[in-house]
Amino acid sequence: MILKRTHLLLLALLSVGLYAAGPSLEAKRIAVIIGTNYKGNDAGIPPLDLCEADAKLMEQSLKAHGRYDDAKVLLGSMVTASRIQEAMKEVAAKSSADDSVFFYFSGHGTYQRDSNAPNGLRNYIVMFNRPHVSDKELSDWMSGIKGKITFVFDCCFSGGIVQKGRRGVGDIPVAENSPGTVIENGGNDFYFKDAVLIGSSDANETSIEIRGSVNHGVFTYYFAQGLNPANGDLNSDRSVTLYEAFTWSAKRVTDHAKKFNHKQTPQLRGNASGYVVTGQVEPVKPPVQDNKPEKPEDNKPEVVTPQPDVSPQKPPADPVQPADPVTNDEPAVVDNGPTQQGGFQICTTILKSRQAGPTPLDPMVLLKKKKLGDDVRKIRVLLSEKEYKTTIQWLDENQFKAICGEQVPLGFYSFKEKVIKNQVALLTVSGIPAGVHELKIEADDYPVIKEVLGVEKRQTGKMLVVASLAGFGTIRGKVFYKNFEQPLPGQEVWMPTTMTTNQQYKMKTTSDGAFWFLNLPPSRYYNIKASFLENLDLDNKQLEVKAGAVTTVDVVLSRKSVKQ
């Protein structure tokens, strides 16, 4: 049995490197762990079943693998705004810049319209009884704790909280007599500006909890396992960084949710590089092994389905003593041969022909482009500054949908009086040492594309990289009816103002309500309409597109046509 989870899981980690000069006292690891199922509350708040179990699981995982022995736990009716604020004050009073502080909340999340909020909506974590705690209050309380902070949200639409701190449940507020509104997720972040944020699902997805053998929220179930070095230590250095724990758990969350015909895609925002969470504090350089030819049986895929152990666990044999160092780089990755390597399929929107893309309005630029001919773009892939052998396959729109799972309108281009449909690159990279890498993709006429890539041994991962030509940007969005649980497939979306030719600026949304517009000139004056024939005029329809950036938007309609 599965349930859609409308609760909010909040995790905060604070970790700062040791001072460079002078003796250092032993650093502390402090946890405040909170979870409530709302059973017996007086405010009519719907009860939940697994939030307190999630809190207990996270407590056990932190103590077993991270030595967070100073842990204060608030469960059930103890979860109130005053107790949370007091707990955070206590942490601020006794912690120092060398300490690690872990704050975890599991319960309901919601929001309401507030004209004083930066985006008109105020997000709340729901207490056992009123008053509840707003995103601004929580951000203000956390500001008293110095260092690097990480929030993890396990709740419906948590990717929206990750992006701008504003998602909850229920219908989206729309102005009276308006057919709908446009919510722009790009741009500045309102709260938690210096934090690393992790969400259990994308901005428009629900997060589920599963009973039976899992008996937890599916994200918490796997994220807790990812904190265990036996699972999350991708590069075999006996430590787990935040990127490693996220990489290990995110894929399993998505795959497990698919078994229930559910889409759930965890999200990460912020600089988490070099952020050791559990395991050995100072990563051990993995031993270099002889790359001898492996036996056929050595290359069999390893199938492991670890289960969370909710019983008390013994401390690890090599416990963590000082605070985890925080650096700008992930621990080194060592190539120990084929058994410790993985691969990746990278779906991109890099166009095949150098003639493809918007037609330049500058005559000199247009002439230069024509001289290039219908050449195929050259692409180079680097991981941790090393170039790897890459197979390039060019996909049309239907192939891209079948392999990459996204229906992206690719448009067409013309050359020598012929109209040719665009194709984009699928990059397959193999022989990558397991660990976390900086991915760089270099392609003709494109800016250098940079991403963080986590590779597991004997596994082939997949990711989507959205890129527009140098000097251009992208709009990516979804259309919904009233709330984020009702995507609208087949809804016509168009932009009445176009500044280039040979590109598509009108399309019907895909089965999950998605739409894309690629290679747009930078401007603050893009308008989105929800219907070509009916010309639905939406609130907040004006969008900004920046060169090299993806503007993510949600279009929420209060009615499906003007006749309603």
Side-chain angles (χ1 to χ4, degrees):
M1 178 180 181
I2 66 169
L3 296 174
K4 287 186 178 178
R5 171 164 280 188
T6 59
H7 81 269
L8 180 63
L9 166 67
L10 176 61
L11 160 70
L13 288 135
L14 169 62
S15 181
V16 180
L18 300 177
Y19 290 118
S24 174
L25 298 175
E26 182 177 320
K28 301 183 293 294
R29 288 189 160 203
I30 307 166
V32 178
I33 299 171
I34 301 165
T36 177
N37 293 334
Y38 304 97
K39 300 292 177 67
N41 75 85
D42 299 326
I45 301 169
L48 296 169
D49 294 320
L50 301 177
C51 298
E52 293 172 24
D54 281 352
K56 293 175 183 178
L57 173 62
M58 194 62 69
E59 177 194 7
Q60 290 157 4
S61 298
L62 288 172
K63 287 184 175 180
H65 308 301
R67 294 302 302 272
Y68 287 82
D69 295 324
D70 183 356
K72 182 171 186 176
V73 181
L74 301 175
L75 297 175
S77 61
M78 299 175 68
V79 179
T80 64
S82 60
R83 281 198 171 106
I84 291 178
Q85 184 179 19
E86 184 61 31
M88 296 175 77
K89 286 181 179 179
E90 291 175 2
V91 170
K94 66 182 176 181
S95 63
S96 67
D98 292 337
D99 296 338
S100 296
V101 178
F102 189 112
F103 179 76
Y104 177 105
F105 173 89
S106 179
H108 276 301
T110 189
Y111 61 72
Q112 66 182 34
R113 183 178 286 278
D114 184 345
S115 59
N116 294 321
N119 60 355
L121 296 176
R122 182 74 68 195
N123 200 83
Y124 290 87
I125 55 174
V126 178
M127 303 292 98
F128 183 83
N129 278 313
R130 295 183 178 88
H132 307 310
V133 177
S134 72
D135 46 9
K136 183 180 185 304
E137 288 174 314
L138 190 61
S139 181
D140 289 344
W141 295 346
M142 291 298 296
S143 65
I145 302 175
K146 299 177 182 178
K148 194 172 181 71
I149 302 170
T150 298
F151 291 90
V152 176
F153 301 87
D154 187 355
C155 65
C156 296
F157 322 122
S158 55
I161 302 174
V162 166
Q163 293 168 28
K164 298 190 80 170
R166 66 182 183 189
R167 283 293 194 279
V169 296
D171 289 352
I172 308 304
V174 176
E176 189 176 356
N177 299 322
S178 172
T181 188
V182 177
I183 302 172
E184 183 177 350
N185 286 334
N188 296 327
D189 304 309
F190 299 142
Y191 304 117
F192 318 114
K193 287 184 178 295
D194 297 322
V196 175
L197 301 176
I198 293 177
S200 60
S201 58
D202 206 348
N204 309 313
E205 298 170 352
T206 52
S207 299
I208 60 174
E209 54 186 23
I210 303 175
R211 300 184 185 278
S213 61
V214 173
N215 215 36
H216 289 284
V218 66
F219 176 79
T220 301
Y221 174 75
Y222 283 110
F223 189 75
Q225 293 181 59
L227 296 176
N228 184 343
N231 300 317
D233 178 15
L234 302 185
N235 66 338
S236 303
D237 65 354
R238 291 192 284 175
S239 67
V240 179
T241 68
L242 198 57
Y243 270 132
E244 287 180 312
F246 177 80
T247 295
W248 189 92
S249 58
K251 180 180 183 298
R252 287 165 173 80
V253 170
T254 300
D255 290 345
H256 203 140
K258 284 181 180 178
K259 296 178 182 179
F260 297 92
N261 296 318
H262 185 80
K263 185 177 181 181
Q264 185 170 337
T265 315
Q267 304 290 307
L268 183 148
R269 189 205 78 194
N271 182 15
S273 295
Y275 196 170
V276 177
V277 184
T278 56
Q280 186 156 313
V281 175
E282 296 184 4
V284 176
K285 187 174 181 179
V288 179
Q289 302 174 358
D290 293 331
N291 294 333
K292 297 178 180 179
E294 57 182 326
K295 299 177 182 179
E297 58 268 21
D298 292 337
N299 201 30
K300 291 181 180 179
E302 184 179 11
V303 180
V304 179
T305 307
Q307 301 291 322
D309 184 2
V310 296
S311 60
Q313 302 178 36
K314 295 180 180 180
D318 189 6
V320 174
Q321 294 299 334
D324 293 339
V326 177
T327 69
N328 291 325
D329 301 304
E330 284 288 309
V333 175
V334 176
D335 190 351
N336 282 317
T339 61
Q340 302 297 311
Q341 295 174 349
F344 240 89
Q345 279 192 325
I346 307 170
C347 300
T348 79
T349 57
I350 297 173
L351 297 168
K352 177 180 180 180
S353 173
R354 298 193 71 178
Q355 292 299 316
T359 301
L361 301 180
D362 186 328
M364 297 303 295
V365 177
L366 180 60
L367 181 61
K368 181 179 179 180
K369 183 175 181 178
K370 286 185 176 181
K371 287 182 178 180
L372 293 173
D374 197 18
D375 287 350
V376 175
R377 281 193 170 87
K378 294 185 287 294
I379 301 176
R380 189 166 76 121
V381 176
L382 296 95
L383 290 160
S384 299
E385 300 298 334
K386 180 180 178 181
E387 186 172 0
Y388 284 82
K389 182 180 179 180
T390 303
T391 301
I392 303 175
Q393 182 181 355
W394 297 104
L395 307 179
D396 61 26
E397 201 167 301
N398 292 331
Q399 292 169 327
F400 192 86
K401 169 65 176 177
I403 296 175
C404 303
E406 293 281 358
Q407 186 72 51
V408 181
L410 301 180
F412 57 89
Y413 69 99
S414 59
F415 183 70
K416 292 186 176 180
E417 300 181 354
K418 291 183 179 180
V419 176
I420 305 169
K421 290 184 178 181
N422 278 323
Q423 293 179 305
V424 291
L426 171 66
L427 310 175
T428 302
V429 190
S430 57
I432 309 171
V436 178
H437 298 264
E438 181 187 50
L439 166 69
K440 288 184 181 179
I441 302 175
E442 300 174 356
D444 291 332
D445 311 314
Y446 281 82
V448 176
I449 302 164
K450 295 183 179 181
E451 299 282 349
V452 175
L453 192 69
V455 179
E456 291 189 59
K457 62 182 180 181
R458 301 177 182 175
Q459 300 285 331
T460 299
K462 183 182 289 186
M463 70 183 302
L464 173 65
V465 173
V466 178
S468 286
L469 290 158
F472 296 88
T474 302
I475 290 178
R476 176 186 186 180
K478 285 189 175 182
V479 180
F480 298 88
Y481 176 57
K482 291 190 175 181
N483 57 59
F484 293 123
E485 295 192 49
Q486 300 186 78
L488 278 179
Q491 176 69 44
E492 198 167 53
V493 179
W494 70 294
M495 292 189 296
T497 304
T498 60
M499 286 171 275
T500 60
T501 60
N502 285 357
Q503 296 296 295
Q504 293 185 357
Y505 296 95
K506 181 175 71 172
M507 68 169 291
K508 289 186 177 181
T509 57
T510 61
S511 59
D512 61 350
F515 65 90
W516 296 77
F517 296 116
L518 301 173
N519 299 307
L520 301 169
S523 174
R524 292 183 295 172
Y525 303 105
Y526 281 100
N527 293 328
I528 283 187
K529 300 278 189 177
S531 172
F532 183 73
L533 294 177
E534 297 173 341
N535 197 28
L536 295 183
D537 200 14
L538 306 174
D539 293 337
N540 307 320
K541 62 185 178 181
Q542 190 165 291
L543 303 174
E544 180 178 6
V545 172
K546 296 180 179 180
V550 178
T551 300
T552 304
V553 300
D554 298 320
V555 178
V556 183
L557 301 182
S558 60
R559 56 181 185 266
K560 296 181 181 179
S561 73
V562 295
K563 297 178 181 179
Q564 289 187 310

